[in-house]
């Protein structure tokens, strides 16, 4: 009854469609990112996209047109940092994300002031998704799915062992860049609904949950995608029923499933 | 007539960002060779491997590589990374990934590639582990898996970077036996960087010692008689 009522609202329909698509992409990309020890990049990108959003609002530009190129640029930069062996890369990434966040807050406080808008950017709002966002999410999701399926074996090789792949002539940097760009797009799209502080969990949690349960790469990928979609739908419904913020509810659902997976693994090991 | 050349280094200098780690090195690797590269830490062994693999362009001189190697047919066994130890992948997924190479826009594995992977798993005695998870295997089994992957990629040259690191003595012996078998029975050329001189010298036919200012390159027996090799023998005694 209440679920049918929930789905009768256009904004909820938009949130559901866009959210399912974004969480599907985030989970697929997340498996590679987590296994390559690039989780911090996802987190860094979400902070950069917060800064970009704040600047875009201050300049009066359509947020997506401004933040998509900025975040893609940041993705290149963070990837470069992470692959430098001589650098303290996690410190560099942490510094970048804090700086982007600070810049965003400074810009907001000098222009519109710290209003509910900031709150929405930080922690997300279910009302944020417009019709254009839904179309864009569908486009990005289709691109991620097609590229992921076509390059599945190569992404596996690059994720498992960069040095070997390089030696056999795979263009490792190209695949890393592809991964970073797609992650950047996914994060920008999902950020306004999930919130800049919370979006990275959409990348990280499904992979962690799946890694607890499955032994093959293919199993992990499929389980991550499924658990991400289920958690999003669960979180969205919970947020409707108990009127909690959608971003936090989805993260809570992911955490719950992750803990279940840990428990299951512990039981299986005994 | 000597066997065909796979890699030829002529007066090669290798290094990073203007600083040379190795200078004026001449080296020829032929089909069926078994070469051990030894030397102190930081002497440039790994840098040389990167050069041989074509991942690092020489600052000076020339590294000539046979056509098949340029097409990515290199059997490389890199050092294991931290991330790999808890990687969720089955043995057959890992071995199959050796069949990929940079050439060609094939997106999926062909039947021939799959049977090649099965054959190499059989050769290394890991066929029954096919559906097991890579992270649950012992160190020795993991090395066999990576070796099977390397065999999928190449048919004439294996390049190994400290393959016995972290293996117990029995597993290390086992690995050397496999390498000798591949070298003698299948004519696979083996190039290996190692710290473990004693056992390695038993299998190797040629030794390249990279010292601070000089190189030694010759047979294992000559190496033991040379000043560098004598130092090693004294350390052993």
């Amino acid at each position: 009854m209440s679920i049918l009522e929930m789905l009768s609202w256009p904004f909820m329909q938009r949130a559901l469609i866009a959210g399912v698509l974004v969480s599907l992409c985030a989970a697929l990309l997340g498996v590679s990112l987590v296994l390559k020890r690039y989780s911090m990049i996802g987190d860094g990108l979400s902070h950069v996209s917060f800064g970009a959003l704040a600047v875009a609002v201050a300049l009066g530009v359509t947020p997506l047109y401004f933040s998509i190129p900025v975040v893609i640029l940041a993705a290149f930069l963070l990837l470069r940092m992470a692959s430098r062996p001589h650098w303290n890369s996690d410190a560099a990434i942490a510094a970048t994300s804090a700086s982007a966040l600070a810049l965003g807050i400074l810009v907001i406080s000098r222009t519109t002031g710290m209003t509910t808008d900031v709150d929405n950017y930080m922690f997300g709002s279910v009302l944020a998704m417009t019709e254009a966002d839904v179309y864009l999410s569908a486009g990005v999701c289709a691109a991620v799915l097609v590229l992921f399926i076509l390059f599945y074996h190569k992404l596996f090789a690059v994720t498992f062992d960069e040095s070997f792949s390089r030696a056999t002539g795979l263009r490792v940097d190209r695949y890393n860049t592809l991964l970073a760009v797609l992650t950047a797009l996914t994060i920008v799209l999902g950020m306004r609904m999930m919130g800049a502080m919370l979006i990275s969990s959409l990348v990280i949690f499904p992979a962690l949950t799946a890694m607890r349960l499955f032994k093959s790469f293919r199993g992990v990928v499929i389980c991550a995608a499924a658990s991400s979609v289920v958690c999003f739908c669960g979180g969205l419904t919970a947020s409707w029923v108990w009127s909690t913020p959608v971003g936090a509810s989805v993260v809570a659902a992911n955490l719950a499933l992750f803990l279940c997976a840990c428990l299951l693994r512990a039981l299986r090991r005994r | 007539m000597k066997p065909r050349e796979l890699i030829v280094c002529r007066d090669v200098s290798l290094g990073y960002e203007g600083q040379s780690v190795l200078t004026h090195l001449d080296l020829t690797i032929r089909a069926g060779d078994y070469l051990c590269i030894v030397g102190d830490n930081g002497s440039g062994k790994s840098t040389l491997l990167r050069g041989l693999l074509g991942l690092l362009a020489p600052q000076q001189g020339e590294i000539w590589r046979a056509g098949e190697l340029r097409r990515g047919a290199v059997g490389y066994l890199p050092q294991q990374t931290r991330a790999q130890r808890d990687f969720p992948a089955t043995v057959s997924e890992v071995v199959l990934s050796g069949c990929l190479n940079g050439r060609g826009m094939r997106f999926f594995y062909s039947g021939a590639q799959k049977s090649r992977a099965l054959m190499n798993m059989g050769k290394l005695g890991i066929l029954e582990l096919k559906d097991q998870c890579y992270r649950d295997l012992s160190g020795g089994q993991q090395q066999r898996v990576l070796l099977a992957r390397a065999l999928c990629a190449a048919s004439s040259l294996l390049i190994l970077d400290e393959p016995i690191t972290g293996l117990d003595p029995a597993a290390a012996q086992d690995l050397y036996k496999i390498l000798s078998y591949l070298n003698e029975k299948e004519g696979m050329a083996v190039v290996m960087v190692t710290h473990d001189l004693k056992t390695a010298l038993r299998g190797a036919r040629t030794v390249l010692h990279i010292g601070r200012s000089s190189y030694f390159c010759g047979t294992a027996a000559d190496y033991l008689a040379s000043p560098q090799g004598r130092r090693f023998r004294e350390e052993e005694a």
Side-chain angles (χ1 to χ4, degrees), chain B residues 68-79:
Chain B
E68 64 197 270
L69 302 184
R70 281 199 294 271
R71 281 191 298 275
V74 182
Y76 179 40
L77 194 82
Q79 292 189 33

Side-chain angles (χ1 to χ4, degrees), chain A residues 74-98:
Chain A
F76 275 107
L77 207 73
L78 291 177
L79 199 65
R80 198 56 45 91
M81 285 180 190
S83 53
R84 280 274 166 89
H86 307 297
W87 275 37
N88 188 347
S89 58
D90 59 338
I93 293 172
T96 312
S97 52

Side-chain angles (χ1 to χ4, degrees), chain B:
Chain B
M1 199 187 118
K2 286 189 167 179
R4 74 200 165 90
E5 292 166 339
L6 293 174
I7 300 181
V8 182
C9 301
R10 288 189 198 93
D11 190 31
V12 165
S13 297
L14 284 164
Y16 302 98
E17 289 158 12
Q19 289 219 314
S20 296
V21 185
L22 284 167
T23 46
H24 307 297
L25 175 74
D26 290 297
L27 179 70
T28 305
I29 297 165
R30 294 174 184 280
D33 272 1
Y34 194 138
L35 170 72
C36 251
I37 302 175
V38 295
D40 301 327
N41 279 335
S43 58
K45 298 183 301 253
S46 301
T47 312
L48 175 60
L49 276 199
R50 287 176 59 83
L52 296 180
L53 288 165
L55 299 177
L56 188 67
Q59 293 168 325
Q60 223 184 63
E62 185 202 7
I63 300 182
W64 178 88
R65 305 165 76 229
E68 64 197 270
L69 302 184
R70 281 199 294 271
R71 281 191 298 275
V74 182
Y76 179 40
L77 194 82
Q79 292 189 33
Q80 284 214 47
T81 61
R82 206 160 46 97
Q84 275 168 18
R85 286 200 201 111
D86 63 339
F87 200 97
T90 61
V91 167
S92 56
E93 280 179 318
V94 174
V95 175
L96 258 174
S97 73
C99 293
L100 288 172
N101 62 46
R103 285 299 179 92
M105 281 306 277
R106 286 196 68 101
F107 294 117
F108 304 100
Y109 296 119
S110 65
Q113 285 172 321
K114 282 179 191 159
S115 47
R116 189 179 162 93
L118 284 176
M119 193 188 77
N120 285 323
M121 283 190 267
K123 203 184 280 177
L124 294 186
I126 48 171
L127 200 54
E128 61 273 26
L129 303 175
K130 184 160 81 74
D131 298 315
Q132 293 227 13
C133 186
Y134 178 78
R135 63 183 167 196
D136 297 340
L137 303 179
S138 71
Q141 287 170 328
Q142 288 185 343
Q143 283 303 49
R144 281 172 180 239
V145 172
L146 296 185
L147 201 55
R149 177 184 65 167
L151 289 179
C152 284
S155 49
S156 54
L157 176 64
L158 279 178
I159 296 185
L160 304 97
D161 196 355
E162 309 214 352
I164 59 147
T165 313
L167 296 190
D168 58 65
Q173 272 314 321
D174 208 43
L175 190 74
Y176 285 126
K177 255 185 227 152
I178 295 173
L179 289 177
S180 293
Y181 170 83
L182 291 172
N183 179 250
E184 282 157 24
K185 297 284 178 325
E186 314 225 333
M188 183 79 75
V190 175
V191 173
M192 171 166 57
V193 163
T194 187
H195 277 303
D196 175 36
L197 276 167
K198 205 167 68 181
T199 11
L201 288 183
R202 236 177 273 157
R205 276 195 293 279
T206 331
V207 176
L208 171 66
H209 180 107
I210 306 178
R212 282 214 182 76
S213 51
S214 63
Y215 304 108
F216 171 86
C217 191
T219 62
D222 285 349
Y223 174 65
L224 288 175
S226 73
Q228 290 98 331
R230 260 203 301 264
R231 201 190 72 193
F232 153 71
R233 267 202 311 197
E234 278 155 19
E235 276 168 22
E236 280 297 304

Side-chain angles (χ1 to χ4, degrees), chain A residues 131-230:
Chain A
E131 206 159 312
D133 292 338
V134 175
Y135 289 127
L136 202 56
S137 315
V140 169
C141 184
V144 170
L145 277 179
V146 168
L147 289 171
F148 196 87
I149 291 170
L150 284 183
F151 292 112
Y152 169 80
H153 292 296
K154 290 181 180 169
L155 280 175
F156 169 78
V158 170
T159 309
F160 183 72
D161 195 337
E162 274 196 17
S163 345
F164 179 82
S165 307
R166 241 183 253 278
T168 52
L170 281 188
R171 308 275 169 82
V172 172
D173 296 320
R174 204 180 279 180
Y175 293 102
N176 281 342
T177 309
L178 180 71
L179 206 59
V181 168
L182 293 177
T183 310
L185 283 174
T186 308
I187 282 177
V188 171
L189 280 174
M191 193 198 96
R192 279 160 312 145
M193 182 160 55
M194 290 291 295
M197 299 290 108
L198 301 170
I199 179 80
S200 56
S201 69
L202 224 53
V203 175
I204 297 160
F205 263 126
L208 287 182
T209 305
M211 279 164 68
R212 294 290 169 287
L213 298 177
F214 282 83
K215 291 186 164 188
S216 68
F217 189 70
R218 179 180 307 186
V220 167
V221 165
I222 294 171
C223 171
S227 81
S228 181
V229 170
V230 166

Side-chain angles (χ1 to χ4, degrees), chain A residues 15-186:
Chain A
L16 184 70
I17 296 170
V20 164
L21 294 174
V22 166
S23 30
L24 187 64
C25 297
L28 291 180
L29 299 168
V31 173
S32 263
L33 289 175
V34 168
L35 287 171
K36 284 169 87 82
R37 302 289 190 270
Y38 282 174
S39 311
M40 280 302 285
I41 290 187
D43 202 51
L45 286 179
S46 63
H47 290 80
V48 172
S49 65
F50 172 81
L53 199 61
V55 173
V57 171
L59 293 175
V61 210
T62 317
L64 279 186
Y65 295 151
F66 183 76
S67 44
I68 285 178
V70 170
V71 177
I72 287 180
L73 201 70
F76 275 107
L77 207 73
L78 291 177
L79 199 65
R80 198 56 45 91
M81 285 180 190
S83 53
R84 280 274 166 89
H86 307 297
W87 275 37
N88 188 347
S89 58
D90 59 338
I93 293 172
T96 312
S97 52
S99 313
L101 195 60
L103 179 74
I105 291 172
L106 283 178
V107 169
I108 290 173
S109 70
R110 291 303 296 164
T111 51
T112 52
M114 302 290 266
T115 56
T116 44
D117 281 354
V118 183
D119 201 52
N120 284 345
Y121 297 159
M122 290 279 218
F123 304 111
S125 157
V126 75
L127 297 170
M129 285 308 191
T130 64
E131 206 159 312
D133 292 338
V134 175
Y135 289 127
L136 202 56
S137 315
V140 169
C141 184
V144 170
L145 277 179
V146 168
L147 289 171
F148 196 87
I149 291 170
L150 284 183
F151 292 112
Y152 169 80
H153 292 296
K154 290 181 180 169
L155 280 175
F156 169 78
V158 170
T159 309
F160 183 72
D161 195 337
E162 274 196 17
S163 345
F164 179 82
S165 307
R166 241 183 253 278
T168 52
L170 281 188
R171 308 275 169 82
V172 172
D173 296 320
R174 204 180 279 180
Y175 293 102
N176 281 342
T177 309
L178 180 71
L179 206 59
V181 168
L182 293 177
T183 310
L185 283 174
T186 308

